[in-house]
Amino acid sequence: MRLNETDLMERVQRELTDSYDEELEMELEDREIDPVTREVLVSERSEEAKEARRQYFRELFRLQAELVKLQDWVVHTGHKVVILFEGRDAAGKGGVIKRIVQRLNPRVCRVAALPAPNNRERTQWYFQRYASHLPAAGEIVLFDRSWYNRAGVERVMGFCTDDQYEEFFQTVPEFERMLARSGIQLIKYWFSISDEEQNARFLGRIHDPLKQWKLSPMDLESRRRWEEYTKAKEIMLERTHIPEAPWWVVQGVDKKKARLNCIHHLLQQMPYVEVEHPAIQLPEREYHDDYVRRPVPEEIIVPEVY
């Protein structure tokens, strides 16, 4: 059955509404959980809070539209971009990465979130496993943690020797300058939160069954070693802040503001312009009198439970 124009427009409107609902569903991660009943607390928001929420979504959608333009420009020009996201555990790195890639083409913009190195990788040149994820022309790669693991968790947890630690600081500026000379733009973000905010977010994860997977033994240990991580961060920023790849610090106590600020800043780092595309014309479907659609066997149809 073919839809008339009115029905078609209604269907398109429903699809748009559904896409916005998916965005709202993502925001469920910001909900409050009763630690006793583990139920979502439905609180009455003030008009001011409601307006702030509406403003957040309006700005997020606007910035995501600009990211699409940036993506088109990267493809059109063959630009190569690497963005590093570092910071405290629970500082909001994953949230901003999710909002950046949400409406982009995964073939153009991809996320590299590497696990701990295996036995073979431990014997490689330290940067080798990261280099394999670097972009080709027209690609953007977001590193959810990066080679700076050596300056942070590996240093604090004793996973590297003093010599390896010092060698990292001798090598990483030259490695990043080499990336810049090869035409790769490197952008480095550090997400900063307060001691109190990290504690609150960890407690939220503990009491939320949908977030408990985010808490690893390493995360819990980082809570105990807050001061050691602070010292390691300060040394890292001091020794690796170079003109070719400076650090940018994102204040992350307010997660929503941090997302908007980071995306806004990212957009300012490239001289992108809107790429003109030819108008798209949807071709008419062909119909053939000798074509008969075969029925789908009942046993392979997914039950319609909902």
Side-chain angles (χ1 to χ4, degrees), residues 56 59-60 63 256-265:
Y56 164 72
E59 193 63 13
L60 178 63
L63 291 172
K256 290 184 174 63
K257 288 183 179 179
R259 294 166 192 162
L260 299 180
N261 288 330
C262 183
I263 297 173
H264 180 271
H265 182 270

Side-chain angles (χ1 to χ4, degrees), residues 115-216:
N118 57 35
N119 291 333
R120 180 176 181 275
E121 289 170 332
R122 291 190 184 96
T123 67
Q124 294 176 342
W125 177 50
Y126 177 71
F127 297 94
Q128 188 168 334
R129 73 190 194 115
Y130 296 102
S132 64
H133 294 273
L134 294 175
E139 293 181 349
I140 304 170
V141 178
L142 284 62
F143 278 90
D144 186 354
R145 295 197 180 277
S146 65
W147 45 84
Y148 282 99
N149 277 338
R150 175 136 296 176
V153 62
E154 290 190 17
R155 175 61 172 176
V156 174
M157 301 302 295
F159 295 153
C160 66
T161 66
D162 290 345
D163 288 343
Q164 290 172 327
Y165 178 66
E166 186 58 35
E167 173 63 22
F168 170 81
F169 282 126
Q170 295 298 322
T171 305
V172 70
E174 288 307 314
F175 175 67
E176 294 179 355
R177 291 187 183 104
M178 183 173 61
L179 296 182
R181 289 195 299 270
S182 72
I184 295 176
Q185 182 176 2
L186 178 59
I187 304 169
K188 304 186 298 193
Y189 288 113
W190 174 270
F191 279 71
S192 179
I193 56 172
S194 66
D195 187 353
E196 296 78 9
E197 181 63 20
Q198 187 190 54
N199 185 63
R201 292 184 187 179
F202 275 2
L203 290 175
R205 291 180 178 184
I206 289 173
H207 295 298
D208 186 347
L210 299 183
K211 287 185 179 180
Q212 286 178 2
W213 64 270
K214 291 185 175 183
L215 278 176
S216 69

Side-chain angles (χ1 to χ4, degrees), residues 14-116:
R14 286 200 298 271
E15 290 294 330
L16 287 172
T17 302
D18 287 344
S19 70
Y20 293 146
D21 285 346
E22 289 175 4
E23 174 62 33
L24 291 172
E25 287 169 9
M26 288 176 62
E27 289 304 309
L28 285 175
E29 70 175 54
D30 296 328
R31 66 202 184 288
E32 299 177 14
I33 298 293
D34 185 326
V36 178
T37 64
R38 294 189 174 181
E39 293 181 352
V40 178
L41 299 178
V42 182
S43 58
E44 293 186 2
R45 298 176 182 269
S46 66
E47 283 304 316
E48 183 179 355
K50 291 177 182 178
E51 177 55 31
R53 187 177 180 82
R54 286 190 290 267
Q55 183 177 353
Y56 164 72
F57 280 112
R58 283 196 298 267
E59 193 63 13
L60 178 63
F61 291 146
R62 186 188 70 80
L63 291 172
Q64 288 179 329
E66 291 299 314
L67 285 171
V68 172
K69 296 177 185 177
L70 172 65
Q71 170 187 256
D72 289 347
W73 176 82
V74 166
V75 173
H76 181 72
T77 61
H79 199 52
K80 295 178 283 189
V81 187
V82 170
I83 310 168
L84 308 188
F85 294 88
E86 296 286 345
R88 300 279 190 182
D89 293 311
K93 301 180 296 296
V96 73
I97 290 173
K98 188 185 300 181
R99 272 68 181 185
I100 290 172
V101 304
Q102 184 185 1
R103 306 187 190 282
L104 301 184
N105 184 344
R107 294 182 179 87
V108 175
C109 182
R110 53 189 168 85
V111 179
L114 278 61

Side-chain angles (χ1 to χ4, degrees), residues 4-16:
N4 60 41
E5 186 172 351
T6 300
D7 291 337
L8 180 59
M9 293 309 296
E10 289 179 357
R11 175 69 62 82
V12 170
Q13 184 60 44
R14 286 200 298 271
E15 290 294 330
L16 287 172

